[in-house]
Amino acid sequence: MSYHVPRGGLPPQTALTTDRARFTEAYAVIPARTLSDITVSFLPGWANTRLWVLARPLSGFAETFSQYVVEVSAGGGSGRPEYDPRAEGVLFVVDGSLTLTVGGGSQVLEPGSYAYLPPGTAWTIANQAEATATFHWIRKAYQRVDGLDVPPAFVTREQDVTPADTPGTDGAWSTTRFVDIADLRHDMHVNIVTFRPGASIPFPETHVMEHGLYVLEGKAVYLLNEDWVEVEAGDFMWLRAFCPQACYAGGPGPFRYLLYKDVNRHVAL
């Protein structure tokens, strides 16, 4: 598995300002080079840690989730990472190793590791190695439903989950699902979508789910509303509900992205 890892830094003074960055009422594109030293943020209660905020609830932007790319240096981490008792979270590690403690037990997370953390869960995370570790942290206010239990915390790995092929594509388009789609306890899915070179979404998907897409590997031409935009590893896309989307994978290797979507709940009126 290959996962893009932002390294910060700054573009040289000789770099062109022209870029693929977009911010519209229907979608946004944050190119990989935007994740530089001057766009980092810091959080209270975290040591030796910096992060890039890719999405946050905001008028005219993401409505249902936030997404960070978090970089934890040696000896860093937090004894109280989440302060909001409503927030559920998904951690997806792309570099280094981290020790996650939850439910009285500890597990080492390495590239490809995926952790689901229900709302109100006490957990800690620490980088006990010498190398920097990087992970995605997706947060959402959990929507409780009478008669449905809150799903438990769990840890798995992409390497241990068999991708599901999209029907009729002969494996050219597949999805690695970390949560059973029939499990209505979950109100968000964070999956990995993979396209072989030349594969496509052959129609403009237009649906109620909001999306966050972080390109882990490869490149493609992506339809966002009315615009075809080139994207590559390290780019982030936000798509509001009902924004038309499609893509062509460009090759020479696979095109893969980490996908957030909100699911399984009534529309608030």
Side-chain angles (χ1 to χ4, degrees), residues 100-238:
L100 172 70
T101 301
V102 59
S106 295
Q107 298 190 58
V108 175
L109 308 182
E110 295 180 329
S113 292
Y114 175 109
Y116 173 75
L117 301 163
T121 299
W123 57 282
T124 67
I125 196 159
N127 183 354
Q128 299 176 341
E130 295 182 0
T132 297
T134 303
F135 68 97
H136 289 259
W137 184 7
I138 297 171
R139 302 166 63 242
K140 181 183 181 296
Y142 183 72
Q143 295 174 265
R144 298 177 184 270
V145 176
D146 289 343
L148 287 179
D149 294 331
V150 175
F154 69 88
V155 175
T156 185
R157 302 189 312 158
E158 181 187 6
Q159 297 89 328
D160 298 331
V161 179
T162 301
D165 293 344
T166 301
T169 66
D170 194 26
W173 172 11
S174 63
T175 303
T176 302
R177 295 188 174 95
F178 299 98
V179 170
D180 184 349
I181 61 173
D183 187 347
L184 299 184
R185 296 175 300 173
H186 287 275
D187 67 351
M188 72 169 174
H189 288 169
V190 178
N191 304 323
I192 293 176
V193 181
T194 300
F195 294 90
R196 293 179 186 169
S200 69
I201 298 176
F203 68 100
E205 292 187 25
T206 308
H207 52 60
V208 69
M209 288 86 76
E210 181 179 35
H211 276 342
L213 288 77
Y214 182 90
V215 183
L216 297 169
E217 181 180 3
K219 64 178 181 177
V221 181
Y222 221 96
L223 174 66
L224 299 167
N225 198 18
E226 299 178 340
D227 305 319
W228 286 96
V229 179
E230 281 191 298
V231 293
E232 63 179 355
D235 291 350
F236 176 78
M237 292 171 275
W238 163 75

